[in-house]
Amino acid sequence: MNRRTAISTLAATGLAAALAACAPMKSTPDIVDIAASNDQFSTLVAAVTAADLVGTLKGDGPFTVFAPTNAAFDALPPGTVETLLKPENKDQLVKVLTYHVVPGAVTSDQLAGQRLNVATVQGQTVHVDGTHGVRVNKARVTSADIMASNGVIHVIDKVLLPK
């Protein structure tokens, strides 16, 4: 290899490395990014925003989120969502939302065949039944194991309400 070819090759390699270092890295989106990118979670995202929990759910985690769909929120008694979203009810909204979050990343294969009571971030426990599909309290997991950079999301068909 002559000197000119060697220098050109080195220069091209260095340029490619420099460009690669500047390019944005593709990474797995976090829990909030995944929810915000899916229209079926628009009510959940509005609630998380109203409760000032976006920063928390964008944190390192890991978290397991049992995420109710818009249809789950729509099934609540009329006026419930609107009432929870009022600024004066923020504490209650935070309790409801954090009742849907479990510390750690728990996938459906870890729940299969088990019945357990699991502590939520809110402080109370939820009953998880993984013997015939997965149920959390009376909600059914309709889509499991949506992996995020800071945890896992399981879609549920009912809103979980703390006691």
Side-chain angles (χ1 to χ4, degrees):
M1 177 183 293
N2 69 30
R3 188 174 175 178
R4 180 177 288 167
T5 304
I7 291 172
S8 294
T9 302
L10 268 171
T13 303
L15 179 61
L19 287 174
C22 293
M25 295 188 63
K26 276 202 158 200
S27 65
T28 307
D30 61 42
I31 289 168
V32 174
D33 293 338
I34 290 172
S37 70
N38 188 326
D39 289 343
Q40 73 173 332
F41 297 123
S42 62
T43 304
L44 177 61
V45 170
V48 167
T49 301
D52 289 328
L53 291 173
V54 171
T56 301
L57 290 175
K58 283 182 141 312
D60 291 339
F63 306 107
T64 299
V65 175
F66 296 105
T69 61
N70 293 345
F73 280 102
D74 290 344
L76 290 171
T80 302
V81 173
E82 294 77 11
T83 299
L84 285 171
L85 291 175
K86 290 181 180 178
E88 62 268 22
N89 296 324
K90 180 179 172 183
D91 289 345
Q92 183 62 32
L93 179 60
V94 168
K95 286 179 186 175
V96 169
L97 294 174
T98 56
Y99 189 61
H100 290 78
V101 182
V102 173
V106 182
T107 57
S108 61
D109 63 325
Q110 295 170 303
L111 301 172
Q114 299 201 45
R115 288 185 178 151
L116 357 133
N117 289 317
V118 182
T120 67
V121 171
Q122 182 263 356
Q124 294 181 21
T125 60
V126 289
H127 179 73
V128 178
D129 183 346
T131 56
H132 299 290
V134 178
R135 294 186 80 78
V136 182
N137 292 351
K138 294 183 181 185
R140 185 173 54 90
V141 173
T142 59
S143 182
D145 302 333
I146 301 169
M147 301 308 293
S149 63
N150 60 346
V152 61
I153 300 169
H154 302 294
V155 181
I156 57 175
D157 64 354
K158 290 183 177 24
V159 176
L160 306 174
L161 297 172
K163 297 171 184 148

